[in-house]
Amino acid sequence: MTEAWTVPAPLARLLGLLPSRPPAWLFAQALNATLVPALPTDLLAALAGRRVRLRVTDAGVHADFTVAGARLQVLGGHGAPDVAIAASAWDFFSLRAARRIRTRCSSRDGW
């Protein structure tokens, strides 16, 4: 098994100094293109209008989103999240990689 990777502390400090809105917008675009289309519609409906915070623990950054029209939309301000999901960069990457593997396996005949 591959050893987990973490964001180096100097890079995390630098990321913490940057404005959050531009990276959050890019993150939302990436998720809208890759993850959101695979999410169940009932989950998207449950998250509609709620503040969802994704926090990358080892990078020291977070982004707040809401679901609007089956797409993630970046939220500004510092309101309290309705739902918070926190993990390391490696964990988020691993979840995405595991999902790709499950999708490939389940699409085969006989699975």
Side-chain angles (χ1 to χ4, degrees), residues 21-103:
R21 187 130 178 121
W25 183 85
L26 289 172
F27 192 44
Q29 299 313 305
L31 291 174
N32 282 330
T34 59
L35 179 64
V36 173
L39 295 176
T41 55
D42 58 337
L43 175 61
L44 292 173
L47 294 174
R50 298 184 184 273
R51 182 178 287 264
V52 179
R53 177 168 293 161
L54 295 180
R55 187 167 62 92
V56 183
T57 55
D58 56 340
V61 297
H62 74 271
D64 289 357
F65 305 96
T66 191
V67 175
R71 294 186 57 81
L72 293 179
Q73 184 176 43
V74 177
L75 292 174
H78 299 284
D82 297 305
V83 178
I85 302 166
S88 69
W90 178 259
D91 290 337
F92 279 122
F93 174 77
S94 297
L95 284 171
R96 182 62 187 140
R99 177 156 180 72
R100 275 193 299 241
I101 291 167
R102 282 194 309 272
T103 301

Side-chain angles (χ1 to χ4, degrees), residues 8-21:
L11 178 58
R13 282 192 295 277
L14 176 65
L15 290 171
L17 297 173
L18 297 173
S20 63
R21 187 130 178 121

